[in-house]
Amino acid sequence: MPPSSKSASDLRRLVIVESPAKAKTIAGYLGPGYTVEASIGHIRDLPNKETRDKLTDEEKASPWANLGVDLDHDFRPFYVISENKDAHIAKLRKLVRESDELLLATDEDREGEAIAQHLLKALNPKIPYHRMVFHEITKDAIQGSLHQLRTINDQLVEAQEARRVLDRIYGFEISPVLWRKIASGTSAGRVQSVTTRLVVERERERMAFRSAEYWDLTALFDTDRAQDDPRTMGARLVAVDGKRVAQGRDFGADGQLGRADALHLDQAGAAALAAGLTGAAFTVNAIDRKPYRRSPSAPFRTTTLQQEASRKLGFGAQRTMSVAQKLYENGFITYMRTDSVTLSETAVTAARAQVTELYGADYLPDKARTYTSKVKNAQEAHEAIRPSGTTFRTPASTKLSGDEFRLYELIWKRTVASQMKDAIGNSVTIRVGGTASDGRVAEFTCSGKVITFHGFMKAYVEGSDDPDAQLDDQDRRLPDVSEGQALRAAELAAEDHSTKPPARYTEASLVEDLEKREIGRPSTYATFVDTIQQRGYVFKKGTALVPSFLAFSVVGLLEKHFSDLVDYEFTAHMEEDLDRIARGEAERVPWLKNFYFGEGGLKDLISDKLNEIDARETNTFPIAEGIALRVGKYGPYIERYDAEGNSLGRANVPDGTLPDELTPELAEELLARPSGDRDLGTDPATGYQIVAKDGRYGPYVAEVLPEDAPKTGKNAVKPRNASLFKSMDLEAIDLANALRLLALPRVVGVDPESGEEITAQNGRFGPYLRKGEDSRSLSGEEQIFDITLDEALAVYAQPKQFGRRGAAKPPLRAFGEDPETGKPVVAKDGRFGAYVTDGETNVTVPRGTTVEELTVEQAFGMLAEKRAKGPAKKTAKKTAAKKTAAKTTTAKKTAAKKTVAKKSTAAKKSSADKSE
């Protein structure tokens, strides 16, 4: 577009960013002449079932309308305005018409570049437009970016579109196979499925693992010199007669010793050696001293921030990115999606200044430290994640709180530490020998470390995924001994050990492994780790990620029939190809054609495999001879079968059972339990049989309909069922109690004031009352059968509690019906003490008066007095936007537009937008 004829000072500029929070912050830095508005994430995308009606008539008639990508015409995407964005686009178009220049200030990455391109397509501006980019939201950075405007990077847009189209094709082609062969609602994704496979494979390793037992000796040696500090040191047996004692690392996953040159001590052997060394003389055989030096870690990039936040703060990857987004949008840190570990000169200067100011010149290296990324195909358009600005705010000076403070402090410490001197010290290993009574020579070792200069450790020490690991800044001091010195064994004991299976992934270690294997883009890992949990493929036990049995079925099908699509190297190569498109070294359309239509491409793969897949085989996993786990429509179950495959019995797998716990022994135990299909008798009212069962979600009773009962149509009969109360036992439930359960919900009575029916029933979160749309919790299950209408009205007379605050407490005292309103009056225990209420008006019990001392007349009088005063007047909120001074013409043109950003939750790029 040609430049405007207006002078720069008279131009009305519209700046569009992604989120309202960012818009609000940036507006404060730009001043008059600028209107800053948010796109609120993506504004165009491929169609889904909610937006498919927005396709053009030509697109609707296309055989690719459901897919949203025309595979016959160069993989042309059918973009539509995203759901619920039409009104917002209309607003943006109006702002464009009122402006002289459009600045597209979305994030400087593939997604941000694509959003800028989509904005141009949707807004079709007739005014000049430019791309405005920045790496941090500070006044200097924002104002400086106005002098470095550029055009849209078409290569980044092409790369993003290639990913989006690829992921849509992958999901639309593979997911229906999973629906047909496993279960509806399952899905596949280019990175999602590979991520799930990693978690499943780790669990398979744990299931195949066989533990090995081994023993060794521990000793506490004493110098017997009072002046020594310390005078004792703990040591462990490492060799007997020169042969190394076997440790855990010497055993394989099968539990067998993998080294012939290692001595495997069992309990008897260790006990005998300990007995033989009791009272023996011990001597220092050797001392090995080495200098210790540790350098600081590089500043954070996306994945290392997620890993450290998990280790140190207990944050999940998604939580980390959400908090980081807020910090970025509010100007506290630089852009948080980056592969770079590089700091700008400004940042290095700021960090070094703080080192000198806070720790002293002794902690500042002579030269600034520089770091380079070890990530292949790293996207280094941005800096590392660091505090924003030319000077860094200390955590205490930010006035942040909660998660934002904790994450900012972590980033600040890591950044400052990256420009500090190495930590130095000394490490020492001492070898101590002694001869047992049977002549065997035993050798023990002890290691220690003393840090003489902490350097960067004064500011920051990196965490570890191993809970037993000693952190780097911890000293372990040993006595000052010399070779040949005699020592006394103050303690000597045999110690039992067993090898452990490989640890399950945590979010931090899974992200680390994905990056190491070069699978997907680091900036999207948080989304995928969250997605596999939302899909039910993975759940958490503590911080560990555990695959569900459903995940075993999905991964097993993909491995057997679509092995390339979940192959780690294939997925990494695909990522490298997509990066080549971003760099302009490859073209989107030929690459997509080869992926889909090429030899062995996805199209042929789907058509060739669909009829070959045996659903039963896919969902069956042998556990023992004649016993298998099957994943069914309603969850996993154990089945015993004969040589012909005929079922001999089934048992549900209890919720929460971990895959590596499902051993043959547990399977036999589950199959041996009573099935729970116990006949309780016949309902005299209906003639239907009543049975007690043990289901996936616990024990329940149900009625059995006759075979000729209509199951469809307007006369269809649906069998009743009801869960047992927690206090009930499946083997003890009788017909009378079963019928009481099946009769729920129970009608308690009718509210005389509203005429609404009150029922008592049991729900997912426990027993409760229901009156119309108003539900109230009950304190116990038996109340469902016992509560009277008066008691129910008393519960409804209490102020309603929102959220999960537990069951409603019973009234402290009932006073009867209010003579003025006719409502039941009760005394309750509230947050600020006892109060009297009729369900509408509340009044606090006077200080110094107990509920028991309060008379009925006093209670009624207090409520009447409170009602007579009327409701408290609310003070009008003052808002700067409504000040009279703001009603000038200039304000209408600039300030009013600058503040149009509404308060809302910061827009996030949806998982669909950033899916891979």
Side-chain angles (χ1 to χ4, degrees), residues 194 239 294 352 399 411 456 511 553 563 582 626 721 742 838 843:
V194 175
R294 180 70 188 273
R352 288 173 64 83
K399 299 182 180 179
I411 294 168
F456 73 92
V511 164
S553 289
S563 56
N721 60 68
L742 291 171
D838 64 355
V843 59

Side-chain angles (χ1 to χ4, degrees), residues 426-429 446-450 476-478:
N426 298 292
S427 63
V428 59
T429 300
C446 179
S447 297
K449 178 182 67 180
V450 176
R476 189 183 177 199
R477 299 179 62 224
L478 300 180

